[in-house]
PDB file of all heavy atoms in Angstrom:
ATOM      1  N   LYS A  76      40.625  44.801 -10.675  1.00 98.00           N
ATOM      2  CA  LYS A  76      42.047  44.844 -10.485  1.00 98.00           C
ATOM      3  C   LYS A  76      42.437  46.391 -10.364  1.00 98.00           C
ATOM      4  O   LYS A  76      42.002  47.200 -11.105  1.00 98.00           O
ATOM      5  CB  LYS A  76      42.761  44.275 -11.640  1.00 98.00           C
ATOM      6  CG  LYS A  76      44.303  44.340 -11.568  1.00 98.00           C
ATOM      7  CD  LYS A  76      44.968  43.710 -12.774  1.00 98.00           C
ATOM      8  CE  LYS A  76      46.441  43.838 -12.631  1.00 98.00           C
ATOM      9  NZ  LYS A  76      47.146  43.271 -13.814  1.00 98.00           N
ATOM     10  N   PHE A  77      43.345  46.619  -9.434  1.00 98.00           N
ATOM     11  CA  PHE A  77      43.876  47.940  -9.180  1.00 98.00           C
ATOM     12  C   PHE A  77      45.237  48.042  -9.841  1.00 98.00           C
ATOM     13  O   PHE A  77      46.053  47.159  -9.605  1.00 98.00           O
ATOM     14  CB  PHE A  77      43.959  48.318  -7.746  1.00 98.00           C
ATOM     15  CG  PHE A  77      42.649  48.350  -7.017  1.00 98.00           C
ATOM     16  CD1 PHE A  77      42.273  47.347  -6.212  1.00 98.00           C
ATOM     17  CD2 PHE A  77      41.774  49.412  -7.216  1.00 98.00           C
ATOM     18  CE1 PHE A  77      41.044  47.334  -5.554  1.00 98.00           C
ATOM     19  CE2 PHE A  77      40.534  49.438  -6.593  1.00 98.00           C
ATOM     20  CZ  PHE A  77      40.148  48.374  -5.781  1.00 98.00           C
ATOM     21  N   ASP A  78      45.435  49.075 -10.607  1.00 97.00           N
ATOM     22  CA  ASP A  78      46.795  49.354 -11.162  1.00 97.00           C
ATOM     23  C   ASP A  78      47.661  49.779  -9.952  1.00 97.00           C
ATOM     24  O   ASP A  78      47.390  50.830  -9.379  1.00 97.00           O
ATOM     25  CB  ASP A  78      46.691  50.480 -12.219  1.00 97.00           C
ATOM     26  CG  ASP A  78      48.018  50.819 -12.874  1.00 97.00           C
ATOM     27  OD1 ASP A  78      49.070  50.459 -12.326  1.00 97.00           O
ATOM     28  OD2 ASP A  78      47.988  51.444 -13.879  1.00 97.00           O
ATOM     29  N   LEU A  79      48.689  49.013  -9.687  1.00 96.00           N
ATOM     30  CA  LEU A  79      49.544  49.333  -8.524  1.00 96.00           C
ATOM     31  C   LEU A  79      50.355  50.552  -8.697  1.00 96.00           C
ATOM     32  O   LEU A  79      50.876  51.109  -7.705  1.00 96.00           O
ATOM     33  CB  LEU A  79      50.387  48.087  -8.191  1.00 96.00           C
ATOM     34  CG  LEU A  79      49.631  46.870  -7.672  1.00 96.00           C
ATOM     35  CD1 LEU A  79      50.547  45.649  -7.383  1.00 96.00           C
ATOM     36  CD2 LEU A  79      48.821  47.175  -6.445  1.00 96.00           C
ATOM     37  N   ALA A  80      50.505  51.030  -9.906  1.00 94.00           N
ATOM     38  CA  ALA A  80      51.205  52.338 -10.107  1.00 94.00           C
ATOM     39  C   ALA A  80      50.291  53.416  -9.658  1.00 94.00           C
ATOM     40  O   ALA A  80      50.758  54.509  -9.247  1.00 94.00           O
ATOM     41  CB  ALA A  80      51.562  52.497 -11.591  1.00 94.00           C
ATOM     42  N   VAL A  81      49.015  53.274  -9.698  1.00 95.00           N
ATOM     43  CA  VAL A  81      48.065  54.289  -9.273  1.00 95.00           C
ATOM     44  C   VAL A  81      47.636  54.085  -7.830  1.00 95.00           C
ATOM     45  O   VAL A  81      47.470  55.023  -7.055  1.00 95.00           O
ATOM     46  CB  VAL A  81      46.772  54.189 -10.149  1.00 95.00           C
ATOM     47  CG1 VAL A  81      45.714  55.244  -9.755  1.00 95.00           C
ATOM     48  CG2 VAL A  81      47.094  54.449 -11.602  1.00 95.00           C
ATOM     49  N   TYR A  82      47.526  52.835  -7.438  1.00 96.00           N
ATOM     50  CA  TYR A  82      47.172  52.424  -6.040  1.00 96.00           C
ATOM     51  C   TYR A  82      48.282  51.579  -5.472  1.00 96.00           C
ATOM     52  O   TYR A  82      48.197  50.310  -5.640  1.00 96.00           O
ATOM     53  CB  TYR A  82      45.767  51.700  -6.045  1.00 96.00           C
ATOM     54  CG  TYR A  82      44.696  52.418  -6.630  1.00 96.00           C
ATOM     55  CD1 TYR A  82      44.330  52.218  -7.933  1.00 96.00           C
ATOM     56  CD2 TYR A  82      43.991  53.369  -5.913  1.00 96.00           C
ATOM     57  CE1 TYR A  82      43.273  52.946  -8.517  1.00 96.00           C
ATOM     58  CE2 TYR A  82      42.961  54.181  -6.474  1.00 96.00           C
ATOM     59  CZ  TYR A  82      42.578  53.861  -7.811  1.00 96.00           C
ATOM     60  OH  TYR A  82      41.554  54.606  -8.346  1.00 96.00           O
ATOM     61  N   PRO A  83      49.218  52.176  -4.879  1.00 96.00           N
ATOM     62  CA  PRO A  83      50.432  51.337  -4.363  1.00 96.00           C
ATOM     63  C   PRO A  83      50.009  50.548  -3.093  1.00 96.00           C
ATOM     64  O   PRO A  83      50.473  50.826  -2.033  1.00 96.00           O
ATOM     65  CB  PRO A  83      51.483  52.369  -4.022  1.00 96.00           C
ATOM     66  CG  PRO A  83      50.740  53.625  -3.825  1.00 96.00           C
ATOM     67  CD  PRO A  83      49.500  53.603  -4.671  1.00 96.00           C
ATOM     68  N   ILE A  84      49.197  49.521  -3.334  1.00 96.00           N
ATOM     69  CA  ILE A  84      48.725  48.662  -2.177  1.00 96.00           C
ATOM     70  C   ILE A  84      49.748  47.641  -1.791  1.00 96.00           C
ATOM     71  O   ILE A  84      50.112  46.819  -2.643  1.00 96.00           O
ATOM     72  CB  ILE A  84      47.398  47.963  -2.594  1.00 96.00           C
ATOM     73  CG1 ILE A  84      46.351  49.001  -3.069  1.00 96.00           C
ATOM     74  CG2 ILE A  84      46.846  47.128  -1.450  1.00 96.00           C
ATOM     75  CD1 ILE A  84      45.133  48.433  -3.798  1.00 96.00           C
ATOM     76  N   GLU A  85      50.204  47.726  -0.607  1.00 95.00           N
ATOM     77  CA  GLU A  85      51.173  46.769  -0.119  1.00 95.00           C
ATOM     78  C   GLU A  85      50.488  45.618   0.631  1.00 95.00           C
ATOM     79  O   GLU A  85      51.047  44.488   0.721  1.00 95.00           O
ATOM     80  CB  GLU A  85      52.234  47.439   0.734  1.00 95.00           C
ATOM     81  CG  GLU A  85      53.080  48.394  -0.072  1.00 95.00           C
ATOM     82  CD  GLU A  85      54.139  49.060   0.816  1.00 95.00           C
ATOM     83  OE1 GLU A  85      54.459  48.537   1.906  1.00 95.00           O
ATOM     84  OE2 GLU A  85      54.685  50.068   0.340  1.00 95.00           O
ATOM     85  N   ASP A  86      49.348  45.899   1.225  1.00 96.00           N
ATOM     86  CA  ASP A  86      48.608  44.917   2.030  1.00 96.00           C
ATOM     87  C   ASP A  86      47.145  45.105   1.725  1.00 96.00           C
ATOM     88  O   ASP A  86      46.542  46.035   2.195  1.00 96.00           O
ATOM     89  CB  ASP A  86      48.913  45.151   3.538  1.00 96.00           C
ATOM     90  CG  ASP A  86      48.179  44.212   4.460  1.00 96.00           C
ATOM     91  OD1 ASP A  86      47.224  43.510   4.024  1.00 96.00           O
ATOM     92  OD2 ASP A  86      48.611  44.064   5.656  1.00 96.00           O
ATOM     93  N   ASP A  87      46.550  44.149   0.945  1.00 96.00           N
ATOM     94  CA  ASP A  87      45.152  44.395   0.524  1.00 96.00           C
ATOM     95  C   ASP A  87      44.259  44.226   1.692  1.00 96.00           C
ATOM     96  O   ASP A  87      43.156  44.867   1.710  1.00 96.00           O
ATOM     97  CB  ASP A  87      44.796  43.485  -0.644  1.00 96.00           C
ATOM     98  CG  ASP A  87      44.976  42.005  -0.377  1.00 96.00           C
ATOM     99  OD1 ASP A  87      45.542  41.593   0.649  1.00 96.00           O
ATOM    100  OD2 ASP A  87      44.582  41.205  -1.229  1.00 96.00           O
ATOM    101  N   GLN A  88      44.525  43.461   2.692  1.00 96.00           N
ATOM    102  CA  GLN A  88      43.674  43.373   3.887  1.00 96.00           C
ATOM    103  C   GLN A  88      43.628  44.728   4.619  1.00 96.00           C
ATOM    104  O   GLN A  88      42.585  45.130   5.054  1.00 96.00           O
ATOM    105  CB  GLN A  88      44.108  42.273   4.813  1.00 96.00           C
ATOM    106  CG  GLN A  88      43.130  42.056   5.966  1.00 96.00           C
ATOM    107  CD  GLN A  88      43.354  40.766   6.725  1.00 96.00           C
ATOM    108  OE1 GLN A  88      44.378  40.058   6.482  1.00 96.00           O
ATOM    109  NE2 GLN A  88      42.521  40.465   7.619  1.00 96.00           N
TER     110      GLN A  88
END
Side-chain angles (χ1 to χ4, degrees):
K76 178 181 181 181
F77 297 104
D78 180 343
L79 294 178
V81 179
Y82 304 97
I84 303 165
E85 294 181 18
D86 180 344
D87 59 351
Q88 187 169 4

